[in-house]
Amino acid sequence: MTTKTPASGMPTPLPGAGTNWRTRGLCRDEDPELFFPDTAADRRAALAVCARCPVRERCLAEALAEEGGRNTHGRHGIRGGTTPTGRQKLHSRTAKTAT
């Protein structure tokens, strides 16, 4: 699934994209706790799953859209192959380029 980037710079789902992309996510076969890591090793394991995932970009687009401008305390877990800090930096970068 691809996304469009409006003038705001934030990716948005394409019309009709729906949420069925989740059924193709590799995370569906993993323990959900893996994506809320306590250790660096767990974080690397979660990111490795995301790196192979065919819907990683769609997952990241949804995470960014849902989280908006929240700081890292409002972001949780590994989503779309990124950590909460990584998503905050990505959001800040795209927000700056949109202005």
Side-chain angles (χ1 to χ4, degrees):
M1 220 42 73
T2 59
T3 59
K4 298 192 271 189
T5 303
S8 69
M10 293 305 302
T12 57
L14 290 174
T19 56
N20 65 350
W21 60 269
R22 289 185 177 126
T23 63
R24 297 189 326 270
L26 295 182
C27 59
R28 75 186 183 288
D29 296 326
E30 300 289 338
D31 180 348
E33 292 298 315
L34 175 66
F35 299 92
F36 298 91
D38 292 326
T39 67
D42 289 344
R43 184 178 67 244
R44 286 190 299 272
L47 291 170
V49 171
C50 292
R52 301 185 321 269
C53 187
V55 295
R56 182 182 57 80
E57 289 180 19
R58 178 67 179 92
C59 182
L60 177 57
E62 183 168 293
L64 291 171
E66 285 177 4
E67 294 172 344
R70 294 182 198 153
N71 63 23
T72 54
H73 298 293
R75 300 170 191 268
H76 305 285
I78 303 295
R79 296 179 70 185
T82 60
T83 63
T85 301
R87 289 192 304 280
Q88 182 180 16
K89 288 178 182 177
L90 183 56
H91 182 271
S92 295
R93 225 180 351 225
T94 56
K96 286 179 185 175
T97 59
T99 57

